[in-house]
Amino acid sequence: MGEGALSLARLAIGKQAVVLEVRGAGDIRKRLLDLGLVPGTIVEPIRRSPAGDPTAFDIRGTVIALRQRDGDTVLVQLISSE
Amino acid sequence: MLLNRLVRGTVGKEDFVPSHIPVDYTACLAGNPNTGKSTVFNALTGLNQHTGNWPGKTVARARGLYRHQGKNVAVVDLPGTYSLLASSPEEEVARDFICFGRPDCTVVIVDATCLERNLNLVLQVLEITAKTVICLNLMDQAERRGFHIDVSKLSDELEVPIVPTVARNGRGLTSLKDRINEIASNAVSCRPKMLRYPTDLEAAIGELESCLSLLSAEGPSKRWAALRLLEGDASAIAAIKQYGMDSNAVQGV
């Protein structure tokens, strides 16, 4: 992983990042891609549920909740805040 | 309460088309969740199909009727989906109807405020059928947010008719009905832009397409069927076997 690359599940609330790669396989991967998580997409965690999982993300203008284990399969690059 | 609604939503289909009225064309409404499909449905048919914002509201499909330029058009409201790759019952219902319900026109309702997200479904529908009209709904909200959408450029790019609408107050619906009639009657036929895949994949698609001569001409495109076969999409292949063609033709591939 390069500098600033991390899994989507580890991204802090309110930090924007760019999707680098959707790992994982099968239906879950297809589902994530269908929801708009393709390389180059900007995502931002909006809030976490009280139990800490799932987390709601802003993905292309729609709020979508992802489980931690699914978020873990998405590799993102933090957009540096200047 | 919510559970009740969810359960009720899954019971059978609601049909508002009186059986004694002859139907000239059937149009179906596809689109992402929350793009106003049911609002467009109600605005077209004058019906009052329940609109609401919860997942699975339209698992079953509702059917209504309107008359435009002397033609009776049946409208089928499909469940909202992000995709037609059928990983949920809603996607299966929507996919099966577009592929095998023999719609004369498929209308993809697109949310003008998040166009990018919606174009995935548009491309998937265009892969299935060229008899498609795009309804760019929620234009008022897009305008309020300062979005300017170059509709004619988008239409040129995709090579399908696009109609901007505000279904809530009826804006654009007459021209939507015009376009539906044109496509349904074959007065206008389109050759929409397709996604091109890598050359080896395109070669495989071409080879498979030529084996699919038994696929019903009224069903999905051979290209779509070939792609599902290549993907090994069990649910799509089962649907093709069930509705689309002679079963030997699939087994033979």
Side-chain angles (χ1 to χ4, degrees):
Chain A
M1 282 191 200
E3 206 180 318
L6 70 166
S7 92
L8 184 56
R10 291 169 55 96
L11 191 62
I13 302 296
K15 295 279 186 192
Q16 287 197 333
V18 180
V19 175
L20 296 176
E21 190 188 341
V22 180
R23 294 174 172 176
D27 284 350
I28 286 292
R29 179 170 188 273
K30 204 152 80 172
R31 185 77 183 146
L32 293 175
L33 294 171
D34 278 337
L35 290 173
L37 279 171
V38 294
T41 303
I42 294 173
V43 285
E44 181 187 329
I46 308 285
R47 57 183 165 270
R48 230 174 279 284
S49 74
D53 189 33
T55 303
F57 295 90
D58 183 328
I59 302 169
R60 296 176 187 254
T62 302
V63 177
I64 288 173
L66 297 180
R67 285 181 294 248
Q68 186 177 342
R69 67 182 144 98
D70 298 328
D72 266 331
T73 67
V74 181
L75 189 64
V76 299
Q77 168 88 45
L78 200 62
I79 297 173
S80 57
S81 45
E82 54 285 358
Chain B
M1 180 77 171
L2 178 63
L3 188 70
N4 270 339
R5 287 173 176 170
L6 282 173
V7 171
R8 222 179 301 145
T10 60
V11 177
K13 67 172 187 183
E14 297 176 74
D15 199 331
F16 303 99
V17 179
S19 54
H20 65 276
I21 297 180
V23 171
D24 295 301
Y25 305 133
T26 298
C28 62
L29 309 180
N32 284 15
N34 288 319
T35 53
K37 280 178 305 303
S38 297
T39 309
V40 171
F41 176 83
N42 289 341
L44 287 173
T45 61
L47 284 165
N48 198 13
Q49 147 92 335
H50 210 114
T51 57
N53 180 4
W54 58 82
K57 185 189 69 69
T58 321
V59 172
R61 15 178 248 255
R63 197 159 158 265
L65 188 76
Y66 67 84
R67 193 172 169 81
H68 184 64
Q69 292 173 342
K71 299 290 179 190
N72 294 326
V73 183
V75 192
V76 177
D77 188 18
L78 297 174
T81 61
Y82 291 114
S83 166
L84 294 174
L85 300 178
S87 44
S88 68
E90 290 93 339
E91 291 181 7
E92 238 170 74
V93 168
R95 179 203 64 198
D96 286 349
F97 193 87
I98 296 169
C99 288
F100 308 108
R102 303 194 174 180
D104 299 294
C105 180
T106 298
V107 182
V108 189
I109 318 283
V110 163
D111 178 352
T113 68
C114 40
L115 190 53
E116 190 187 36
R117 131 175 318 284
N118 284 254
L119 288 176
N120 176 39
L121 185 70
V122 169
L123 290 172
Q124 288 188 17
V125 170
L126 293 179
E127 222 161 50
I128 297 173
T129 171
K131 300 188 79 171
T132 301
V133 173
I134 295 171
C135 167
L136 199 55
N137 196 31
L138 305 175
M139 280 300 282
D140 53 340
Q141 289 190 31
E143 280 156 16
R144 212 171 306 133
R145 291 193 206 173
F147 296 156
H148 174 76
I149 298 173
D150 190 338
V151 177
S152 62
K153 177 141 191 226
L154 187 60
S155 180
D156 287 347
E157 279 291 324
L158 294 169
E159 296 179 55
V160 283
I162 302 181
V163 185
T165 62
V166 182
R168 219 163 29 78
N169 64 22
R171 203 175 106 194
L173 289 178
T174 305
S175 75
L176 179 61
K177 290 177 185 174
D178 288 343
R179 297 293 93 72
I180 291 172
N181 275 12
E182 284 168 7
I183 293 288
S185 64
N186 293 315
V188 170
S189 59
C190 300
R191 294 179 59 90
K193 196 153 284 175
M194 295 286 165
L195 275 183
R196 303 305 295 182
Y197 297 96
T199 24
D200 44 351
L201 199 49
E202 286 293 341
I205 293 166
E207 228 173 281
L208 273 174
E209 278 178 325
S210 60
C211 305
L212 289 170
S213 51
L214 289 174
L215 200 64
S216 159
E218 282 165 311
S221 73
K222 292 191 170 68
R223 183 179 175 81
W224 179 84
L227 280 163
R228 299 291 80 77
L229 287 167
L230 282 170
E231 206 181 20
D233 181 337
S235 139
I237 293 169
I240 295 170
K241 275 186 182 171
Q242 191 177 347
Y243 310 111
M245 60 202 288
D246 180 59
S247 59
N248 297 326
V250 172
Q251 283 154 6
V253 169

